[in-house]
């Protein structure tokens, strides 16, 4: 009777399930690596960095790491961030060139400088100075993607209101009026980002992201992933969130920040995720995007916007209950 009462009490009070590793998409090896880092005595930051680095090395879905998503010039460039939910420090890189381990560089920005975000060629120089190896991020696959795109009149692309009509030519473009309806990118996996939240046994939260950005992006384009509050966010007193999808749209709404603030005031993780996605839907009903959320007790949820060809969003959870990287999914709404 007494034991039974205690058991019921624990369940009802939302018994903490820590540590927790949760990440976007079916990237199981990333969660496995993050979990191993924790078990080996690493910090939550180590877990996020190692988990996302694993995806960079494995080129998860071709949309994380080298050799994927070439830009309009055929170059692969990387965006990444990492955040410490105890100190609220952030390190991030955007449009990083020639360095494979983007989240490692992001962590160096956080721990070896007073800055938050470094971009482009200068970020690469910083990385080299910090001992990261510069190498070509081009692969046969990225060359093929780029060559096919050139052959197809540089379609689809992200230009609008320019002449000549971007549905016919590769440019150079000038401001002008568009004659034909341009072809939009419909490949949903052109936007996959690894976003990861790790909560330690002691409640410390870290979050991070890594991606090679949107396929055929304009050179210089930086998406939501390295922007704190957009790509991911965490606060050890509120929770953590991370997103994936059409970053050009998502970064206008800081969905990760919104979700963490909602969880801080007691909103359940799945509702917090849903509310943040709903906010974007008001303005962009057809945007493609998803969010994962976890609160301080290790409860988690996810939400995604339903668009043609995309009705469920996969994510991976690793805690002492799953005891393995468990693939889960949420129905988009
Ligand atoms: C986290 O969310 C769960 C529901 O999913 C809730 O039971 C629990 O109280 C929440 N924790 C906090 C600290 O808000
Ligand atoms: C890449 O392409 C080159 C030349 O087309 C070829 O020699 C090389 O073996 C290819 N590499 C891989 C890893 O397929």
């Amino acid at each position: 009777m007494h034991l039974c009462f205690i058991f019921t009490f624990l369940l009802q009070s939302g018994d903490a399930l820590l540590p927790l590793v949760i990440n976007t998409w079916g990237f199981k090896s990333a969660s496995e690596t993050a979990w191993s880092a924790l078990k080996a005595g690493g910090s939550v930051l180590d877990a996020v960095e190692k988990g996302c680095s694993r995806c960079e090395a494995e080129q998860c879905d071709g949309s994380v790491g080298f050799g994927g998503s070439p830009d309009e010039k055929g170059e692969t460039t990387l965006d990444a961030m990492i955040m410490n939910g105890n100190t609220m420090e952030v390190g991030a890189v955007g449009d990083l060139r020639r360095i494979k381990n983007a989240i490692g560089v992001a962590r160096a920005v956080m721990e070896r400088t007073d800055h938050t975000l470094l971009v482009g060629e200068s970020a690469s120089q910083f990385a080299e100075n910090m001992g990261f190896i510069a190498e070509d991020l081009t692969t046969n696959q990225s060359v093929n993607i780029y060559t096919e795109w050139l052959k197809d009149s540089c379609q689809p692309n992200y230009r609008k209101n320019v002449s000549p009509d971007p549905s016919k030519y590769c440019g150079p473009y000038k401001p002008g009026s568009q004659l034909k309806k341009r072809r939009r990118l419909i490949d949903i996996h052109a936007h996959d980002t690894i976003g990861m939240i790790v909560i330690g046994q002691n409640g410390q939260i870290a979050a991070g992201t890594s991606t090679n950005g949107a396929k055929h992006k304009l050179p210089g384009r930086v998406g939501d992933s390295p922007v704190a509050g957009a790509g991911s966010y965490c606060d050890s007193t509120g929770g953590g969130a991370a997103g994936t999808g059409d970053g050009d749209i998502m970064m206008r709404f800081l969905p990760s920040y919104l979700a963490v603030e909602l969880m801080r005031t007691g909103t359940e993780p799945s509702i917090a995720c849903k509310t943040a996605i709903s906010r974007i839907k008001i303005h962009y009903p057809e945007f493609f995007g998803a969010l994962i959320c976890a609160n301080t007790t290790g409860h988690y949820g996810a939400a995604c916007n339903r668009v043609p060809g995309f009705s469920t969003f996969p994510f991976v959870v690793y805690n002492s209950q799953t005891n393995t990287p468990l693939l889960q999914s949420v129905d988009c709404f």
Side-chain angles (χ1 to χ4, degrees), residues 14 268-269 295-297 299:
E268 281 185 21
N295 72 11
T296 55
T297 42
H299 295 84

Side-chain angles (χ1 to χ4, degrees), residues 25-26 40 87-89 96 113 126 128 152 170 179 212 231 266-267 306 313 329:
W25 303 107
T87 62
M88 307 308 282
E89 289 171 295
L96 180 73
T113 81
F126 164 78
E128 281 190 68
D152 195 14
C170 291
L179 302 174
N212 50 31
T267 305
R306 181 181 288 269
F313 170 66
S329 71

Side-chain angles (χ1 to χ4, degrees), residues 87-312:
T87 62
M88 307 308 282
E89 289 171 295
V90 174
V93 285
D95 188 27
L96 180 73
R97 312 176 65 189
R98 301 190 307 278
I99 310 283
K100 285 184 177 172
N101 183 203
I103 194 158
V105 182
R107 188 165 179 189
V109 171
M110 179 172 77
E111 294 182 342
R112 317 261 169 234
T113 81
D114 285 329
H115 297 312
T116 293
L117 172 61
L118 294 183
V119 300
E121 193 58 39
S122 309
S124 310
Q125 270 170 30
F126 164 78
E128 281 190 68
N129 291 342
M130 297 315 291
F132 291 85
I133 294 163
E135 46 196 328
D136 194 352
L137 303 189
T138 304
T139 59
N140 285 4
Q141 200 201 356
S142 68
V143 169
N144 286 342
I145 295 170
Y146 178 57
T147 312
E148 288 304 308
W149 181 75
L150 286 178
K151 272 196 225 153
D152 195 14
S153 310
C154 306
Q155 291 299 300
N157 64 46
Y158 290 95
R159 306 272 179 171
K160 68 179 182 188
N161 303 324
V162 291
S163 67
D165 191 327
S167 63
K168 291 184 196 141
Y169 306 103
C170 291
Y173 305 103
K174 288 188 299 191
S177 57
Q178 206 150 289
L179 302 174
K180 268 169 63 178
K181 190 167 164 51
R182 85 206 145 99
R183 258 157 70 197
R184 308 270 319 261
L185 203 72
I186 46 165
D187 176 7
I188 275 160
H189 294 288
H191 297 110
D192 295 6
T193 296
I194 180 160
M196 178 180 276
I197 307 159
V198 176
I199 312 182
Q201 192 80 56
N202 61 2
Q204 183 179 2
I205 309 184
T209 62
S210 184
T211 182
N212 50 31
K215 207 187 280 180
H216 314 308
K217 64 191 174 186
L218 272 67
R221 180 264 191 188
V222 174
D224 61 328
S225 301
V227 176
S232 75
Y233 199 73
C234 65
D235 178 338
S236 300
T237 66
T244 180
D246 188 341
D248 291 306
I249 288 175
M250 294 177 83
M251 70 193 295
R252 301 169 188 173
F253 296 87
L254 300 182
S256 295
Y257 177 78
L258 175 58
V260 169
E261 287 311 296
L262 288 168
M263 288 187 284
R264 182 201 302 288
T265 52
T267 305
E268 281 185 21
S270 55
I271 306 293
C273 268
K274 211 170 170 177
T275 304
I277 294 288
S278 297
R279 185 72 59 84
I280 305 174
K281 277 179 84 145
I282 294 169
H283 296 273
Y284 299 97
E286 315 228 300
F287 93 101
F288 165 66
L291 204 62
I292 53 171
C293 295
N295 72 11
T296 55
T297 42
H299 295 84
Y300 57 85
C304 48
N305 192 27
R306 181 181 288 269
V307 291
F310 191 76
S311 55
T312 60

